[in-house]
Amino acid sequence: MFKKKIITLFAIVLFSFIYATSEIKAQTVQATITVKDITVDATSEAVDTGIVAMPGDRIEITAEGQTKYGTTETWDYKGRVSDKKIGGPFAFPNAEEFSLVGWIGDRKNYFQVSKTDNYENGKSGTLYFAINDWGGKHYANNAGGLFVTVKLTRYYEIKAEGTDAKAAWGTGLVMINEGDAFATDASGAVTYWKGGDPRDPDGKAGSMATLLAPQINQSALIAKVGDNGNPFKLGKKLYLPKMNQSGWLYVTVNDEIQKTGAYTNNDGELSVNIAVRHPRKTFKNPV
C-alpha cells in the first residue's frame, strides 16, 4: 500500500523588466517545477517522463515503491546493493542491479538516481527512466515499480514586441496530462509601465481588445495548456480537480500584445506555486 500524499509542485516565476526605448528587453523567468507520481513500471525498458530537459536545468529526483523479479526479494530505487550480485548483461552495467536509472536523450549517458543528488544538465532532450535489468524479454518477469518525483529548476527569458504572441507566452513549464489535478497559489506585484501602479496576480478588472487574452483582467497572471489552448486566469488562487486536456503549461501576464513596448517596460516580482498531480497507474505485475 502506498500512502497518499498532498503533492505540492512549486514553480517560482520571477518577472523582471528594464525600461528601454530602442531595444527589446528580456523578461527573466525562474521556474522551479516539481512533477510527482511519474509511474515507472518494472516491466518497461524505457519510460518517457514527458519532461524535456534544457541546457542549464538543475534536476533532483526521488522515488518510492518496490520492485523485484521472479520470486526474489524486493528492492527500492537503490536496487540490489548487497554482495549477492546476479551479474550478466545488465542494460546499464555501471549502475546497481535493479536500481532506478535515468538518461536525457542519449541512453548511453545514463545515471543512477540514488547516486545523484543533483543533476546539472548540459544538453537538451527527453528525460527517461528504467529499472536496471537484462535487456529484452528479461523485463517481462519483473514486478512492481516506482513512483518518481522530478524537481526541475530552469531560467529562461520571454521577449515580446508587437503582435508576437508566441514570444509573450514564453516556454512551456510542465506537461499537463488529461486527468491531472491542478492548483496554483500566487502572490507578489508587477508594475506594467514605468512609474505605474503595482498590480497583484488578479490584475485589474476590465477587458481590452489589445490584450494577449482580451476577455481576462488586465495584467492578471494567466496560463494556457497547449499551443492552441484557451487562456485562463490563474490569479491569486486556482484549483482544478481534473484537467480536461493535455499539453505544455504556459504561464505569463496579460499585457497588451498589440502595443509597442508593453512587454518590455515591466518591473516587479510574482511568485506562483503550481501543483500538478498525475493519477497513479497500476503496475502490470503488482508486488
Side-chain angles (χ1 to χ4, degrees):
M1 296 286 293
F2 293 99
K3 184 178 180 181
K4 293 184 179 179
K5 297 182 178 179
I6 297 175
I7 298 168
T8 304
L9 182 154
F10 300 99
I12 301 175
V13 183
L14 307 178
F15 299 90
S16 302
F17 305 86
I18 301 174
Y19 179 71
T21 59
S22 60
E23 63 176 315
I24 299 174
K25 296 296 182 180
Q27 177 179 334
T28 302
V29 178
Q30 174 189 309
T32 301
I33 305 162
T34 304
V35 184
K36 192 157 187 177
D37 282 355
I38 299 169
T39 303
V40 179
D41 197 294
T43 64
S44 300
E45 293 188 70
V47 174
D48 185 339
T49 65
I51 298 171
V52 177
M54 303 294 292
D57 286 350
R58 182 177 177 85
I59 301 171
E60 300 174 46
I61 304 166
T62 57
E64 60 177 288
Q66 294 182 320
T67 64
K68 71 174 184 177
Y69 84 95
T71 58
T72 60
E73 71 271 25
T74 59
W75 305 285
D76 61 16
Y77 76 110
K78 297 177 183 178
R80 193 170 193 160
V81 296
S82 70
D83 293 332
K84 300 177 181 179
K85 302 298 181 184
I86 296 175
F90 275 84
F92 308 95
N94 293 323
E96 294 288 352
E97 298 174 359
F98 305 104
S99 65
L100 176 65
V101 296
W103 65 94
I104 295 173
D106 188 353
R107 188 183 179 96
K108 295 179 181 178
N109 297 320
Y110 65 87
F111 54 91
Q112 182 176 330
V113 170
S114 61
K115 293 184 177 179
T116 307
D117 292 332
N118 295 293
Y119 187 82
E120 297 286 356
N121 180 38
K123 58 183 179 179
S124 61
T126 300
L127 174 64
Y128 294 89
F129 289 126
I131 304 300
N132 189 20
D133 195 359
W134 290 14
K137 63 182 181 180
H138 297 281
Y139 274 82
N141 67 344
N142 291 341
L146 302 172
F147 295 110
V148 181
T149 297
V150 176
K151 181 179 180 181
L152 183 149
T153 302
R154 174 178 299 166
Y155 296 84
Y156 63 95
E157 296 180 339
I158 295 175
K159 297 181 180 181
E161 184 67 15
T163 59
D164 192 355
K166 184 176 181 180
W169 280 109
T171 303
L173 296 179
V174 60
M175 177 61 71
I176 300 293
N177 298 321
E178 185 176 355
D180 288 345
F182 176 81
T184 62
D185 182 2
S187 61
V190 173
T191 299
Y192 288 88
W193 59 90
K194 189 176 182 180
D197 60 303
R199 297 175 180 175
D200 64 29
D202 281 336
K204 180 181 178 180
S207 61
M208 296 173 62
T210 54
L211 292 173
L212 184 63
Q215 302 307 314
I216 302 176
N217 286 359
Q218 304 170 34
S219 312
L221 185 67
I222 60 175
K224 68 176 181 177
V225 176
D227 291 337
N228 300 317
N230 293 323
F232 57 95
K233 179 183 173 184
L234 295 183
K236 292 180 181 178
K237 190 178 292 290
L238 176 68
Y239 174 65
L240 300 173
K242 183 178 290 187
M243 298 298 289
N244 60 8
Q245 56 191 321
S246 299
W248 284 100
L249 174 72
Y250 297 86
V251 175
T252 189
V253 292
N254 196 23
D255 210 341
E256 295 184 78
I257 190 60
Q258 297 182 40
K259 181 178 179 180
T260 300
Y263 271 89
T264 65
N265 65 350
N266 298 345
D267 192 19
E269 180 177 303
L270 291 174
S271 175
V272 55
N273 298 330
I274 300 177
V276 176
R277 178 175 185 170
H278 298 326
R280 286 194 170 188
K281 299 178 181 179
T282 302
F283 298 122
K284 185 176 180 179
N285 301 319
V287 172

